Amino acid sequence: MSSSPKYSQAQLERERRERLEQERQRQAAEEARIRAAAAERERLQRLENLKNQSIAQTEATIAKIQQKSPEIYPQDSSELAKRGQNLLNSLRGVTTEYQLQNTIQELPKIEQELDRAISRKRRDDEEKKRKAELEKQQFELEELERQIAQIPQADAIKFDSAGRTAAQTALKALRSAIASGNPQTARSPLNTATQAVEHHIASVASNRAQWEQQKAAAEQALGELEDLIIGLKAD
């Protein structure tokens, strides 16, 4: 019965179908392998592109750190350059997009720290300038007060009383402006006080010289008058 034509035909048909199924599965597996290989190549290419982009961005940030080096403190420059180089080395070693995404998160942190370092040094430099200008203004104030103090009070009142008052008022305003801690506020009062003191000194000197000339002339005239009177008495 097993060798009957009908049985043999059915067996052959099953075997044919099994071979077809095996071939179909083989082709499907091959196609899946090809698709997987293509997807892997695409993944690797995408990863390589993203790595190159991230590396280029990091190298640009490192170059920016070097460029901005004069604007930040040396220790900040050194630390930021080190972080940039470490990031660059890490990026070159990543093998998955997940690693890349986690690693590249360091870049904006470095850039933010660079901005903070620039601002920190800029604020410190401005503070140094502010203090230096205030010290200079304080010195100018003291010098003006010294010049005023050298003028005898009697002479100041006698030869330029209004100028003495104006100079003292200007110096008081300058002293108050300097005490505010803002050198910009003291710039105009410093100019005003300088002009007032210089004008007062010049006025005292000029008026005293004129007074001395007038006094000398009066004394000479008085002497001549006395000589005339003596001469008249002798006659």
Side-chain angles (χ1 to χ4, degrees):
M1 180 176 181
S2 60
S3 60
S4 66
K6 183 177 179 181
Y7 178 80
S8 298
Q9 185 177 1
Q11 179 68 23
L12 291 173
E13 180 63 20
R14 281 197 305 272
E15 291 176 353
R16 186 185 69 83
R17 289 180 178 179
E18 287 175 358
R19 288 194 298 271
L20 288 175
E21 179 62 21
Q22 291 174 355
E23 179 62 20
R24 187 191 65 78
Q25 290 178 358
R26 187 192 66 79
Q27 290 180 353
E30 179 64 16
E31 290 174 357
R33 185 190 66 78
I34 293 173
R35 287 196 300 272
E40 179 64 10
R41 287 194 300 271
E42 182 179 350
R43 184 190 72 82
L44 291 175
Q45 185 60 52
R46 183 172 62 252
L47 174 62
E48 188 67 19
N49 291 339
L50 291 173
K51 275 179 62 174
N52 291 338
Q53 180 180 357
S54 299
I55 288 172
Q57 292 173 340
T58 302
E59 289 175 337
T61 297
I62 292 174
K64 184 179 179 181
I65 293 170
Q66 294 174 342
Q67 179 186 3
K68 296 293 185 180
S69 181
E71 301 178 31
I72 60 181
Y73 288 114
Q75 62 270 27
D76 288 334
S77 177
S78 176
E79 178 62 24
L80 287 169
K82 181 179 178 181
R83 288 175 63 180
Q85 189 59 50
N86 288 342
L87 174 59
L88 197 60
N89 294 338
S90 298
L91 287 171
R92 288 169 176 159
V94 299
T95 56
T96 66
E97 287 188 37
Y98 178 77
Q99 288 179 334
L100 179 62
Q101 291 173 357
N102 284 341
T103 304
I104 197 60
Q105 290 179 5
E106 172 71 2
L107 182 59
K109 297 177 183 178
I110 294 174
E111 292 173 341
Q112 290 170 3
E113 183 57 34
L114 174 59
D115 290 338
R116 283 193 289 266
I118 293 172
S119 298
R120 183 163 51 247
K121 187 172 187 300
R122 185 176 297 159
R123 285 194 301 270
D124 290 349
D125 288 345
E126 288 301 319
E127 179 64 10
K128 290 177 183 177
K129 291 179 183 178
R130 184 188 71 84
K131 289 183 177 178
E133 186 172 359
L134 279 175
E135 289 175 0
K136 184 176 183 298
Q137 290 171 341
Q138 180 64 34
F139 172 80
E140 295 291 344
L141 169 62
E142 293 172 359
E143 180 63 18
L144 292 173
E145 290 177 334
R146 184 189 66 79
Q147 294 177 14
I148 286 291
Q150 287 182 333
I151 303 175
Q153 183 175 352
D155 284 0
I157 296 174
K158 180 176 182 179
F159 298 115
D160 188 29
S161 179
R164 178 174 182 269
T165 301
Q168 289 175 334
T169 300
L171 288 172
K172 181 179 179 181
L174 174 57
R175 194 178 302 107
S176 176
I178 292 174
S180 72
N182 186 353
Q184 293 183 348
T185 302
R187 289 172 187 170
S188 179
L190 176 58
N191 291 333
T192 300
T194 300
Q195 293 174 2
V197 169
E198 290 177 348
H199 183 270
H200 177 55
I201 292 173
S203 295
V204 169
S206 175
N207 292 339
R208 181 179 179 82
Q210 184 178 0
W211 174 81
E212 288 178 347
Q213 289 178 351
Q214 293 174 346
K215 179 183 177 183
E219 289 176 348
Q220 181 179 355
L222 179 59
E224 293 174 351
L225 180 58
E226 290 176 347
D227 289 341
L228 179 60
I229 293 174
I230 292 172
L232 291 174
K233 288 182 177 180
D235 291 342

